[in-house]
Structures are given as structure tokens and as C-alpha cells.
Amino acid sequence: MSACDPHDPHCITCGDVAVEMLVVEVNDSLAVCEAEGEAREVEVALLEDVRAGDRLLVHADVGLVKLA
């Protein structure tokens, strides 16, 4: 998930792509999430009751949808 690499389909800056990520830890409105071996801090204020183990669709480091 690198920024502005034209060969990376998950460019969060240039592409309109949400990435599925696993929640590892939650601290208030921020969560540490992992995908493809990379951890990122994700804003989860738009979602209710996010817990470790949940899977989220994330775009630009913002959690948009909690997956079932």
C-alpha cells in the first residue's frame, strides 16, 4: 500500500480503492489495522463497536465499513 506508485493497485492517494484490513488493536477512535503484512493507524469514528479481530474496508486510512 504505497503512495503514488502507478504499478500498485492499492494507491490510497491516487486510486479510489478500499482495502480490506484486520483490526489488531483499538484505542478510542483509532485502530491499528493490518493488510498485506503492513500495519497502519486507521480512523474508525464512523463505525460502531470496532474490536480487535474485526475486518474493515479502509480508504485513505479511514474505516468505511465493518465486514461481517
Side-chain angles (χ1 to χ4, degrees):
M1 291 188 301
S2 62
C4 296
D5 180 349
H7 303 292
D8 185 351
H10 296 116
C11 178
I12 64 171
T13 304
C14 303
D16 191 18
V17 177
V19 177
E20 183 176 334
M21 300 189 83
L22 174 67
V23 177
V24 176
E25 178 183 334
V26 179
N27 297 308
D28 298 320
S29 66
L30 295 176
V32 175
C33 298
E34 290 183 347
E36 300 175 4
E38 182 179 343
R40 300 183 71 88
E41 197 168 67
V42 173
E43 173 67 51
V44 292
L46 299 175
L47 305 172
E48 293 184 22
D49 196 31
V50 175
R51 298 178 184 191
D54 287 345
R55 293 204 165 273
L56 309 177
L57 281 182
V58 176
H59 175 69
D61 293 335
V62 176
L64 301 177
V65 177
K66 198 161 88 167
L67 301 172

mmCIF file of all heavy atoms in Angstrom, residues 23-28 30-33 42-56 63 65-66:
data_model
loop_
_atom_site.group_PDB
_atom_site.id
_atom_site.type_symbol
_atom_site.label_atom_id
_atom_site.label_comp_id
_atom_site.label_asym_id
_atom_site.label_seq_id
_atom_site.Cartn_x
_atom_site.Cartn_y
_atom_site.Cartn_z
ATOM 1 N N VAL A 23 -8.414 -5.586 12.081
ATOM 2 C CA VAL A 23 -8.180 -4.753 13.267
ATOM 3 C C VAL A 23 -7.360 -5.553 14.270
ATOM 4 O O VAL A 23 -7.734 -6.660 14.655
ATOM 5 C CB VAL A 23 -9.509 -4.294 13.908
ATOM 6 C CG1 VAL A 23 -9.240 -3.495 15.169
ATOM 7 C CG2 VAL A 23 -10.335 -3.498 12.919
ATOM 8 N N VAL A 24 -6.242 -4.987 14.694
ATOM 9 C CA VAL A 24 -5.355 -5.630 15.656
ATOM 10 C C VAL A 24 -5.579 -5.059 17.049
ATOM 11 O O VAL A 24 -5.577 -5.787 18.041
ATOM 12 C CB VAL A 24 -3.875 -5.454 15.239
ATOM 13 C CG1 VAL A 24 -2.944 -6.037 16.271
ATOM 14 C CG2 VAL A 24 -3.646 -6.059 13.867
ATOM 15 N N GLU A 25 -5.800 -3.745 17.116
ATOM 16 C CA GLU A 25 -5.924 -3.053 18.399
ATOM 17 C C GLU A 25 -6.771 -1.794 18.199
ATOM 18 O O GLU A 25 -6.707 -1.163 17.156
ATOM 19 C CB GLU A 25 -4.523 -2.663 18.872
ATOM 20 C CG GLU A 25 -4.443 -1.912 20.145
ATOM 21 C CD GLU A 25 -2.995 -1.513 20.471
ATOM 22 O OE1 GLU A 25 -2.062 -2.210 20.017
ATOM 23 O OE2 GLU A 25 -2.827 -0.510 21.149
ATOM 24 N N VAL A 26 -7.584 -1.446 19.205
ATOM 25 C CA VAL A 26 -8.422 -0.249 19.119
ATOM 26 C C VAL A 26 -8.103 0.668 20.291
ATOM 27 O O VAL A 26 -8.031 0.222 21.441
ATOM 28 C CB VAL A 26 -9.920 -0.600 19.138
ATOM 29 C CG1 VAL A 26 -10.773 0.653 19.062
ATOM 30 C CG2 VAL A 26 -10.265 -1.544 18.006
ATOM 31 N N ASN A 27 -7.895 1.947 19.990
ATOM 32 C CA ASN A 27 -7.655 2.984 21.002
ATOM 33 C C ASN A 27 -8.548 4.173 20.672
ATOM 34 O O ASN A 27 -8.228 4.967 19.801
ATOM 35 C CB ASN A 27 -6.187 3.429 21.003
ATOM 36 C CG ASN A 27 -5.252 2.306 21.368
ATOM 37 O OD1 ASN A 27 -5.435 1.653 22.373
ATOM 38 N ND2 ASN A 27 -4.267 2.059 20.517
ATOM 39 N N ASP A 28 -9.689 4.276 21.360
ATOM 40 C CA ASP A 28 -10.665 5.343 21.123
ATOM 41 C C ASP A 28 -11.131 5.321 19.664
ATOM 42 O O ASP A 28 -11.700 4.334 19.231
ATOM 43 C CB ASP A 28 -10.105 6.713 21.514
ATOM 44 C CG ASP A 28 -9.779 6.786 23.002
ATOM 45 O OD1 ASP A 28 -10.574 6.255 23.801
ATOM 46 O OD2 ASP A 28 -8.743 7.359 23.342
ATOM 47 N N LEU A 30 -9.212 5.467 16.997
ATOM 48 C CA LEU A 30 -8.160 4.972 16.111
ATOM 49 C C LEU A 30 -7.953 3.482 16.322
ATOM 50 O O LEU A 30 -8.078 2.982 17.438
ATOM 51 C CB LEU A 30 -6.845 5.700 16.367
ATOM 52 C CG LEU A 30 -6.821 7.185 16.046
ATOM 53 C CD1 LEU A 30 -5.488 7.785 16.449
ATOM 54 C CD2 LEU A 30 -7.075 7.428 14.566
ATOM 55 N N ALA A 31 -7.639 2.791 15.255
ATOM 56 C CA ALA A 31 -7.350 1.361 15.350
ATOM 57 C C ALA A 31 -6.072 1.066 14.584
ATOM 58 O O ALA A 31 -5.795 1.680 13.559
ATOM 59 C CB ALA A 31 -8.495 0.548 14.761
ATOM 60 N N VAL A 32 -5.308 0.130 15.088
ATOM 61 C CA VAL A 32 -4.162 -0.390 14.344
ATOM 62 C C VAL A 32 -4.702 -1.543 13.519
ATOM 63 O O VAL A 32 -5.306 -2.474 14.054
ATOM 64 C CB VAL A 32 -3.046 -0.869 15.291
ATOM 65 C CG1 VAL A 32 -1.922 -1.504 14.492
ATOM 66 C CG2 VAL A 32 -2.538 0.282 16.143
ATOM 67 N N CYS A 33 -4.540 -1.448 12.202
ATOM 68 C CA CYS A 33 -5.048 -2.461 11.284
ATOM 69 C C CYS A 33 -3.909 -2.977 10.418
ATOM 70 O O CYS A 33 -2.953 -2.257 10.151
ATOM 71 C CB CYS A 33 -6.139 -1.871 10.395
ATOM 72 S SG CYS A 33 -7.581 -1.281 11.283
ATOM 73 N N VAL A 42 -5.741 3.595 11.616
ATOM 74 C CA VAL A 42 -6.961 3.860 10.858
ATOM 75 C C VAL A 42 -7.980 4.572 11.748
ATOM 76 O O VAL A 42 -8.214 4.164 12.885
ATOM 77 C CB VAL A 42 -7.562 2.531 10.329
ATOM 78 C CG1 VAL A 42 -8.911 2.750 9.678
ATOM 79 C CG2 VAL A 42 -6.592 1.871 9.356
ATOM 80 N N GLU A 43 -8.592 5.619 11.217
ATOM 81 C CA GLU A 43 -9.668 6.337 11.905
ATOM 82 C C GLU A 43 -10.930 5.489 11.822
ATOM 83 O O GLU A 43 -11.348 5.090 10.732
ATOM 84 C CB GLU A 43 -9.903 7.690 11.226
ATOM 85 C CG GLU A 43 -11.084 8.446 11.731
ATOM 86 C CD GLU A 43 -10.921 8.908 13.162
ATOM 87 O OE1 GLU A 43 -9.890 9.524 13.490
ATOM 88 O OE2 GLU A 43 -11.844 8.646 13.954
ATOM 89 N N VAL A 44 -11.549 5.187 12.983
ATOM 90 C CA VAL A 44 -12.738 4.333 12.996
ATOM 91 C C VAL A 44 -13.948 5.030 13.629
ATOM 92 O O VAL A 44 -14.922 4.385 13.993
ATOM 93 C CB VAL A 44 -12.460 2.985 13.705
ATOM 94 C CG1 VAL A 44 -11.487 2.146 12.892
ATOM 95 C CG2 VAL A 44 -11.963 3.194 15.124
ATOM 96 N N ALA A 45 -13.919 6.348 13.732
ATOM 97 C CA ALA A 45 -15.004 7.098 14.371
ATOM 98 C C ALA A 45 -16.331 6.955 13.619
ATOM 99 O O ALA A 45 -17.396 7.113 14.234
ATOM 100 C CB ALA A 45 -14.628 8.570 14.491
ATOM 101 N N LEU A 46 -16.307 6.644 12.335
ATOM 102 C CA LEU A 46 -17.544 6.492 11.572
ATOM 103 C C LEU A 46 -18.243 5.159 11.834
ATOM 104 O O LEU A 46 -19.383 4.963 11.422
ATOM 105 C CB LEU A 46 -17.259 6.602 10.066
ATOM 106 C CG LEU A 46 -16.677 7.915 9.574
ATOM 107 C CD1 LEU A 46 -16.338 7.812 8.086
ATOM 108 C CD2 LEU A 46 -17.667 9.042 9.815
ATOM 109 N N LEU A 47 -17.553 4.243 12.494
ATOM 110 C CA LEU A 47 -18.071 2.891 12.717
ATOM 111 C C LEU A 47 -18.401 2.667 14.189
ATOM 112 O O LEU A 47 -17.767 3.243 15.075
ATOM 113 C CB LEU A 47 -17.040 1.862 12.255
ATOM 114 C CG LEU A 47 -16.570 2.021 10.810
ATOM 115 C CD1 LEU A 47 -15.421 1.074 10.534
ATOM 116 C CD2 LEU A 47 -17.721 1.776 9.859
ATOM 117 N N GLU A 48 -19.377 1.800 14.448
ATOM 118 C CA GLU A 48 -19.753 1.479 15.820
ATOM 119 C C GLU A 48 -19.110 0.177 16.267
ATOM 120 O O GLU A 48 -19.009 -0.774 15.498
ATOM 121 C CB GLU A 48 -21.273 1.347 15.930
ATOM 122 C CG GLU A 48 -22.004 2.657 15.716
ATOM 123 C CD GLU A 48 -23.497 2.506 15.921
ATOM 124 O OE1 GLU A 48 -23.924 1.563 16.611
ATOM 125 O OE2 GLU A 48 -24.234 3.339 15.387
ATOM 126 N N ASP A 49 -18.687 0.148 17.515
ATOM 127 C CA ASP A 49 -18.251 -1.072 18.191
ATOM 128 C C ASP A 49 -17.166 -1.840 17.431
ATOM 129 O O ASP A 49 -17.302 -3.032 17.175
ATOM 130 C CB ASP A 49 -19.472 -1.964 18.448
ATOM 131 C CG ASP A 49 -19.188 -3.040 19.474
ATOM 132 O OD1 ASP A 49 -18.367 -2.793 20.385
ATOM 133 O OD2 ASP A 49 -19.770 -4.130 19.366
ATOM 134 N N VAL A 50 -16.094 -1.164 17.062
ATOM 135 C CA VAL A 50 -14.975 -1.818 16.386
ATOM 136 C C VAL A 50 -14.102 -2.494 17.434
ATOM 137 O O VAL A 50 -13.745 -1.889 18.443
ATOM 138 C CB VAL A 50 -14.146 -0.804 15.565
ATOM 139 C CG1 VAL A 50 -12.919 -1.455 14.972
ATOM 140 C CG2 VAL A 50 -15.003 -0.182 14.480
ATOM 141 N N ARG A 51 -13.779 -3.749 17.182
ATOM 142 C CA ARG A 51 -12.975 -4.542 18.124
ATOM 143 C C ARG A 51 -11.857 -5.271 17.385
ATOM 144 O O ARG A 51 -11.950 -5.494 16.174
ATOM 145 C CB ARG A 51 -13.860 -5.586 18.808
ATOM 146 C CG ARG A 51 -14.964 -4.993 19.619
ATOM 147 C CD ARG A 51 -15.805 -6.055 20.225
ATOM 148 N NE ARG A 51 -16.926 -5.433 20.937
ATOM 149 C CZ ARG A 51 -17.717 -6.072 21.743
ATOM 150 N NH1 ARG A 51 -17.560 -7.364 21.936
ATOM 151 N NH2 ARG A 51 -18.685 -5.441 22.354
ATOM 152 N N ALA A 52 -10.844 -5.670 18.138
ATOM 153 C CA ALA A 52 -9.765 -6.477 17.571
ATOM 154 C C ALA A 52 -10.377 -7.727 16.956
ATOM 155 O O ALA A 52 -11.288 -8.338 17.526
ATOM 156 C CB ALA A 52 -8.753 -6.836 18.645
ATOM 157 N N GLY A 53 -9.904 -8.084 15.775
ATOM 158 C CA GLY A 53 -10.420 -9.241 15.055
ATOM 159 C C GLY A 53 -11.437 -8.885 13.981
ATOM 160 O O GLY A 53 -11.716 -9.695 13.103
ATOM 161 N N ASP A 54 -12.002 -7.673 14.037
ATOM 162 C CA ASP A 54 -12.938 -7.234 13.002
ATOM 163 C C ASP A 54 -12.193 -7.005 11.693
ATOM 164 O O ASP A 54 -11.007 -6.704 11.689
ATOM 165 C CB ASP A 54 -13.623 -5.925 13.399
ATOM 166 C CG ASP A 54 -14.651 -6.084 14.501
ATOM 167 O OD1 ASP A 54 -15.067 -7.225 14.780
ATOM 168 O OD2 ASP A 54 -15.044 -5.046 15.081
ATOM 169 N N ARG A 55 -12.923 -7.117 10.593
ATOM 170 C CA ARG A 55 -12.382 -6.796 9.273
ATOM 171 C C ARG A 55 -13.115 -5.561 8.771
ATOM 172 O O ARG A 55 -14.333 -5.471 8.856
ATOM 173 C CB ARG A 55 -12.567 -7.956 8.310
ATOM 174 C CG ARG A 55 -11.719 -9.142 8.713
ATOM 175 C CD ARG A 55 -11.435 -10.049 7.523
ATOM 176 N NE ARG A 55 -10.372 -10.973 7.814
ATOM 177 C CZ ARG A 55 -9.073 -10.711 7.651
ATOM 178 N NH1 ARG A 55 -8.687 -9.547 7.225
ATOM 179 N NH2 ARG A 55 -8.165 -11.611 7.925
ATOM 180 N N LEU A 56 -12.330 -4.600 8.259
ATOM 181 C CA LEU A 56 -12.877 -3.334 7.786
ATOM 182 C C LEU A 56 -12.485 -3.091 6.344
ATOM 183 O O LEU A 56 -11.439 -3.543 5.898
ATOM 184 C CB LEU A 56 -12.321 -2.164 8.617
ATOM 185 C CG LEU A 56 -12.397 -2.221 10.123
ATOM 186 C CD1 LEU A 56 -11.716 -0.985 10.719
ATOM 187 C CD2 LEU A 56 -13.824 -2.335 10.594
ATOM 188 N N GLY A 63 -11.725 3.978 8.222
ATOM 189 C CA GLY A 63 -12.591 2.803 8.160
ATOM 190 C C GLY A 63 -13.976 3.210 7.676
ATOM 191 O O GLY A 63 -14.596 4.084 8.263
ATOM 192 N N VAL A 65 -16.493 0.645 6.331
ATOM 193 C CA VAL A 65 -17.492 -0.405 6.513
ATOM 194 C C VAL A 65 -16.882 -1.514 7.347
ATOM 195 O O VAL A 65 -15.737 -1.926 7.124
ATOM 196 C CB VAL A 65 -17.929 -0.998 5.154
ATOM 197 C CG1 VAL A 65 -18.904 -2.147 5.337
ATOM 198 C CG2 VAL A 65 -18.528 0.067 4.269
ATOM 199 N N LYS A 66 -17.664 -2.022 8.297
ATOM 200 C CA LYS A 66 -17.268 -3.208 9.048
ATOM 201 C C LYS A 66 -17.853 -4.411 8.320
ATOM 202 O O LYS A 66 -19.055 -4.462 8.052
ATOM 203 C CB LYS A 66 -17.808 -3.102 10.478
ATOM 204 C CG LYS A 66 -17.134 -4.021 11.442
ATOM 205 C CD LYS A 66 -17.338 -3.591 12.864
ATOM 206 C CE LYS A 66 -18.592 -4.175 13.437
ATOM 207 N NZ LYS A 66 -18.653 -4.030 14.896
#
